[in-house]
Amino acid sequence: MTEKEKNDFFYVCSLIEYIARQTKNRRGVIVEALGKDGIEKQLYDAEVNHCLSFEQVSDEVIEHYKIQNGDFDTITDCKYTVPGFMDIGKLYSIMIEDCAQPGKEVDELLKIFSSFISDKISDFQTDIYYQNPSYLECSYEAGYLLD
């Protein structure tokens, strides 16, 4: 993956996290609404969208893809400091870079955001987000949290 592609994936992963928080949805709901074509479009547009606010791009994506509000709120009642959406976006982009076969990064993004590990990362009442990315990747590939 080139540096530009890494930056684009980081941006899109952060955008997915931002939209999910705004709409109180699981991250898998967001990637399902966008679909592979929508993810590819966001990656294509990422270089330009970097110049816009996340709020503006998020509003446009929510409206265009008709993303409804959900009830997956892991932030409101969290007792601990919630990591920023860009921190989470960075984690996802690292996982995609490490887990994807070359040329299959979009497919891996869809799989990771739709897997059990995404809900675990989003549970800010736990320390899962703070775990080593290698541990998260191995758990994701195993299909469950490793001991």
Side-chain angles (χ1 to χ4, degrees), residues 18 22 75 80 91 132 142:
Y18 186 87
Q22 292 300 112
I75 295 174
Y80 307 108
L91 173 61
N132 186 306

Side-chain angles (χ1 to χ4, degrees), residues 8-114:
D8 292 346
F9 272 92
F10 169 48
Y11 176 82
V12 170
C13 289
S14 297
L15 180 63
I16 292 166
E17 178 67 20
Y18 186 87
I19 292 168
R21 290 179 184 201
Q22 292 300 112
T23 61
K24 295 181 176 49
N25 277 301
R26 286 180 159 74
R27 285 59 183 157
V29 169
I30 305 306
V31 297
E32 183 179 328
L34 272 66
K36 186 173 182 175
D37 289 343
I39 297 295
E40 288 172 345
K41 179 182 182 341
Q42 294 308 312
L43 287 165
Y44 180 82
D45 294 345
E47 192 170 18
V48 172
N49 285 346
H50 280 286
C51 302
L52 304 172
S53 71
F54 273 93
E55 293 88 352
Q56 179 182 348
V57 177
S58 173
D59 286 347
E60 291 171 2
V61 170
I62 291 167
E63 182 179 332
H64 180 80
Y65 292 94
K66 298 174 179 44
I67 299 172
Q68 301 296 312
N69 286 332
D71 60 2
F72 188 70
D73 182 3
T74 61
I75 295 174
T76 301
D77 295 328
C78 190
K79 295 186 270 185
Y80 307 108
T81 302
V82 175
F85 66 93
M86 293 182 78
D87 296 325
I88 300 295
K90 186 65 174 173
L91 173 61
Y92 280 116
S93 65
I94 290 167
M95 290 180 69
I96 293 163
E97 182 181 347
D98 291 349
C99 295
Q101 294 181 10
K104 299 288 186 183
E105 292 87 1
V106 173
D107 294 328
E108 199 66 42
L109 180 152
L110 290 162
K111 283 193 248 176
I112 290 172
F113 274 103
S114 298

